[in-house]
Amino acid sequence: MELKQIKYFIEVAKQEHVTRAADTLHVAQSAVSRQIFNLEAELGVDLFIREGRNVRLTSIGKVFLDRMENAVHVIDDVAQIIEEYTDPEMGTIHIGFPSSVASYILPTAISAFREIYPDVKFQLNQGSYYELKEAVIKGEINMALLGPVPMKEKKLEGTILFSENMAALLPASHPLAGSDSLHLNQLRDDSFVLFPEDFVLRNITIDACKQLGFEPNVSFEGKDIDAIKGLVSAGLGVSLVPEITLVDNLPRATVKKPITQPNVTRTVGVIVPKDRQLLPTEKLFYQFLKEFFMRLEQFQS
């Protein structure tokens, strides 16, 4: 069994089509077909069911795919570890992030880090809260910034970098736009703009409203923070968003108001796997994040 065979197999499984897999791999279709045939012959099982030009995994093929994806991640990590141990300051950091940290938190941290380690490269992967947790667990990435930080996961280690308030974002035409602050109960009759179901920031808002005895009327949904802000800017509802997302980026025709009751907050931090070591360059950035935000908090205090 060769690594090339495994990588060909994984790509065919993803594409469910030999020709498309060959195009992605930049090799001839015949080469991919031959390697898959040799792999199946060596294993003594059919990994795919052929349906014309399309293929789909057999039951044993699905098991094999799961194991081989993990194996390839390990092999790739080892190759990168060997390269980075010769010079950790020139490696690549693979990090995931949700949209709520994309506009300020992550760019600020990377910019400060690159002033010290200018040759380090970053590969950024945006995803939802649960997608990023799963990506770290599976080994697709080794690190992700998240808010709130999961602290009781069997396979993840969470480190809180800071806590922040959620603020109310209102259209400038809203009756409460001129107030200094507001009680969340004052928005019980408003239409809300929130993330879709199963997004953690949606859950934070709904839980806060339920504390006061009402469930928000969700009229519009957006899958990233900019979509949420855009819908509020268009006057289509109100929302609760992390304060950090409004730093230097308050949308036109909107106002930001602090919430005095209840106190709606979230933690922001970084998650890493418990069962795998970070790569050397990733360790540099992980330690930097903890020290950077500690210093920032001390400065703000």
Side-chain angles (χ1 to χ4, degrees):
M1 192 185 307
E2 300 176 1
L3 180 59
K4 179 167 65 175
Q5 290 177 325
I6 302 304
K7 290 191 173 182
Y8 284 11
F9 161 76
I10 291 174
E11 192 59 41
V12 172
K14 287 180 179 178
Q15 300 287 348
E16 295 189 330
H17 199 284
V18 175
T19 302
R20 288 198 294 267
D23 290 342
T24 302
L25 294 164
H26 304 293
V27 296
Q29 177 184 333
S30 58
V32 175
S33 297
R34 184 171 58 254
Q35 292 294 345
I36 297 298
F37 176 80
N38 291 342
L39 180 60
E40 289 179 320
E42 181 180 346
L43 295 173
V45 296
D46 290 329
L47 298 172
F48 292 102
I49 298 171
R50 274 74 176 176
E51 299 174 331
R53 295 185 178 182
N54 296 315
V55 298
R56 58 186 174 89
L57 288 169
T58 61
S59 57
I60 189 62
K62 293 177 182 178
V63 174
F64 189 70
L65 174 64
D66 182 61
R67 299 297 191 275
M68 288 302 102
E69 282 185 320
N70 289 335
V72 169
H73 287 316
V74 171
I75 292 170
D76 289 343
D77 279 354
V78 168
Q80 191 171 343
I81 285 171
I82 293 172
E83 179 181 349
E84 291 185 15
Y85 264 120
T86 61
D87 191 349
E89 296 182 13
M90 297 189 68
T92 300
I93 294 168
H94 302 260
I95 185 167
F97 63 97
S99 64
S100 62
V101 307
S103 62
Y104 184 79
I105 300 171
L106 186 58
T108 300
I110 290 177
S111 177
F113 182 78
R114 292 262 296 179
E115 288 182 7
I116 306 171
Y117 305 106
D119 295 320
V120 169
K121 298 176 285 294
F122 282 83
Q123 189 169 99
L124 307 178
N125 301 274
Q126 184 169 341
S128 70
Y129 184 86
Y130 297 105
E131 288 171 346
L132 294 171
K133 283 173 57 178
E134 193 65 17
V136 175
I137 290 171
K138 287 185 173 181
E140 296 169 2
I141 54 177
N142 283 334
M143 185 186 309
L145 290 175
L146 283 183
V149 184
M151 301 299 291
K152 296 181 180 180
E153 299 280 341
K154 290 183 178 180
K155 296 183 178 181
L156 297 173
E157 179 180 339
T159 299
I160 295 173
L161 300 175
F162 63 92
S163 297
E164 65 167 334
N165 292 323
M166 301 283 287
L169 186 66
L170 313 177
S173 59
H174 195 278
L176 297 173
S179 60
D180 293 331
S181 61
L182 56 85
H183 190 298
L184 186 56
N185 196 48
Q186 293 175 276
L187 302 178
R188 68 162 53 234
D189 296 324
D190 281 87
S191 294
F192 276 73
V193 179
L194 298 181
F195 283 89
E197 291 185 7
D198 296 329
F199 275 64
V200 71
L201 285 179
R202 178 192 180 103
N203 296 338
I204 290 174
T205 297
I206 289 178
D207 289 346
C209 293
K210 285 182 176 179
Q211 286 183 44
L212 302 178
F214 75 97
E215 187 152 348
N217 173 30
V218 183
S219 299
F220 293 91
E221 296 179 346
K223 287 190 175 182
D224 63 60
I225 200 71
D226 287 332
I228 299 290
K229 292 191 288 188
L231 290 167
V232 175
S233 177
L236 298 176
V238 302
S239 191
L240 303 190
V241 298
E243 282 190 331
I244 202 78
T245 65
L246 301 174
V247 174
D248 300 326
N249 194 24
L250 186 66
R252 62 174 183 80
T254 67
V255 293
K256 176 188 75 171
K257 298 298 173 184
I259 301 168
T260 57
Q261 182 64 31
N263 185 29
V264 190
T265 64
R266 73 161 182 172
T267 57
V268 178
V270 59
I271 58 169
V272 297
K274 285 184 178 179
D275 59 352
R276 299 190 311 276
Q277 291 290 321
L278 295 179
L279 300 174
T281 309
E282 292 171 338
K283 286 182 180 178
L284 281 179
F285 188 59
Y286 181 55
Q287 188 60 36
F288 171 84
L289 284 174
K290 292 189 287 186
E291 295 172 356
F292 177 74
F293 283 100
M294 184 182 298
R295 291 196 305 269
L296 189 62
E297 186 175 359
Q298 290 172 346
F299 175 77
Q300 291 174 339
S301 298

